[in-house]
Each structure stands twice: as structure tokens, then as C-alpha cells.
Amino acid sequence: MEFRVRAAGDSAWIIELPERIDAAVNTRAIRIARAVQEAGLPITDVVVGYRSVMVYIDPLAEGASGVERRLQEIAADAEESDAAPGALLEVPVCYDGPYGPDLPDIARFAQCSIEEVIERHLALPYRVFVVGFVPGFAYMASVDPRIAAPRRPSPRLKVPAGSVAIAAGQTGIYPAETPGGWSLIGRCPIRPYDPGRAEPFLFHPGDTVRFARITEAAYRAASQWGDA
């Protein structure tokens, strides 16, 4: 798989892979990132994107002068595989009551019933490609193209934390109350990001997520948001 390494300022390098949303490309990026972290370089941070790896270094540390050559070697040696390197997670979602306010809009877009929208969202596993936007927000793909509505024409100023949303072929869970332009179809009772947990982040690039439908009563019983 083709790649290139280029400087991104005086203390960062970016490793770029083919420009497409693709599980094999993303898996290669994750494997490169892990290899970089284990290489003993003077790294301050490593960030995985859909098809890239950003490597931040301490430019004054010992070994910093040889970083580009080492990144070239690491990217060339990183194992290629189509297999997802992450965990398989089942995540509960309540689509009922007030938690899916945009389900009627998605149903009109898909020219089907609201129940069919829910069934199609539940039917597929989703790969976590990237975690970003806000801490814990996982960009997951790919949504059934029949319900893959674009972003809303006007974003909401406040999206409730835990909202499950879709936009342009992707789905995700808002880990905090933020502005947002994705269509809201459900609510998850589990926090995707909790700095008080031993592992603050629920999702990592390469994970596979399956959503499981729960009732409104089950949501309220399990809610970690204080809205039960």
C-alpha cells in the first residue's frame, strides 16, 4: 500500500496513506501508529486519522534528527491486513420516546417507515475509524446507504449528551452536550468518554460496534447521564 512521510512543522510528521474511507487503509494506519509508539522515538503524541498518522516529537530530544528515516522504515514494515485490530462492542440504544427526534425526517428521506429506519441502523456492524471532534466521539461507518441522509441543513446549538446520530453514511454518539448537525435517531445510556473511568474512552480506532435496541425503561435504568 502506497504511503508518504512529510514534515508537518518543526515538531511533527505525518504519514499519509491512500485517500479514501476504507477499512484496510485505516487498519494499516492503526498498525503503523502502534509500531511508531513501540519504536523508542522521542514521541510526545501519535494521532490516527482515517488514512493518516500524525506523529508529534520532541525536536530537542536525542534521536530526533533521525525520525523521518525511522518513520519511513516503520511505515514500510507495518503489517498489512484487512482484519479489524480492535474490540467488538455491543452498545445499547433507545430509539423510543423523545430520544429520536429526527427519525421521521430520516424515514421521509429513505421513503420507509420509522421502524425500518431503526432496523437498518441495527442491522450492520460499524467500524470505528477515528475518535475526535470532542473527546470520545467515534466516527463509525458505514450506515446503510438507504438511510444515509446528509447533515441537517441547520445544526442544533445543543445536542443532548448520549444522542445517537447519523450523517452522510456515518453514525456516532455525542459524548457531551455540544452543537451538532447530524440527525438524532436514538440515545445511548453509556458515556463514550468518562475521565473518571480506568479507561476513559469507550471506543478506539479499529473497534467494531453493534447497536442493540433497548426500551425507554431500560434506558432510564441504565442511564449514566443523570436524566433517568
Side-chain angles (χ1 to χ4, degrees):
M1 187 179 293
E2 295 180 356
F3 71 89
R4 70 168 180 167
V5 179
R6 63 181 178 88
D10 61 357
S11 59
W13 301 84
I14 186 168
I15 304 168
E16 297 177 318
L17 296 166
E19 191 172 357
R20 59 180 184 267
I21 297 178
D22 179 275
V25 173
N26 187 243
T27 297
R28 182 76 181 280
I30 293 169
R31 294 184 186 282
I32 290 172
R34 289 179 180 174
V36 169
Q37 289 170 321
E38 296 169 355
L41 297 170
I43 295 167
T44 57
D45 198 8
V46 177
V47 180
V48 177
Y50 285 96
R51 36 76 61 172
S52 65
V53 181
M54 182 70 83
V55 181
Y56 296 90
I57 67 164
D58 178 354
L60 301 179
E62 182 179 352
S65 61
V67 165
E68 181 173 358
R69 176 182 55 80
R70 286 290 294 128
L71 293 180
Q72 291 279 1
E73 295 171 349
I74 291 167
D77 292 343
E79 180 183 359
E80 290 195 36
S81 172
D82 290 337
L88 175 61
L89 304 170
E90 183 174 283
V91 178
V93 180
C94 177
Y95 298 90
D96 303 328
Y99 302 130
D102 296 330
L103 278 170
D105 292 341
I106 301 299
R108 280 190 288 273
F109 169 85
Q111 297 184 325
C112 67
S113 68
I114 288 174
E115 281 301 313
E116 286 176 298
V117 172
I118 296 170
E119 290 173 4
R120 290 172 184 175
H121 187 250
L122 288 167
L124 298 176
Y126 299 99
R127 177 189 177 86
V128 176
F129 278 88
V130 177
V131 178
F133 164 53
V134 291
F137 186 95
Y139 290 83
M140 309 178 202
S142 294
V143 169
D144 185 322
R146 292 170 292 184
I147 61 171
R151 291 170 58 91
R152 291 173 53 81
S154 298
R156 290 182 169 87
L157 295 179
K158 292 183 179 180
V159 173
S163 293
V164 177
I166 61 176
Q170 299 184 85
T171 188
I173 305 170
Y174 284 86
E177 182 182 275
T178 70
W182 291 26
S183 295
L184 310 184
I185 63 170
R187 189 80 60 85
C188 174
I190 301 172
R191 292 179 180 272
Y193 172 69
D194 183 350
R197 285 196 305 246
E199 172 49 66
F201 294 94
L202 182 61
F203 305 114
H204 300 86
D207 287 349
T208 299
V209 174
R210 275 197 173 276
F211 292 114
R213 188 174 189 175
I214 59 174
T215 64
E216 187 170 357
Y219 169 84
R220 293 188 179 282
S223 178
Q224 299 175 353
W225 301 107
D227 57 354

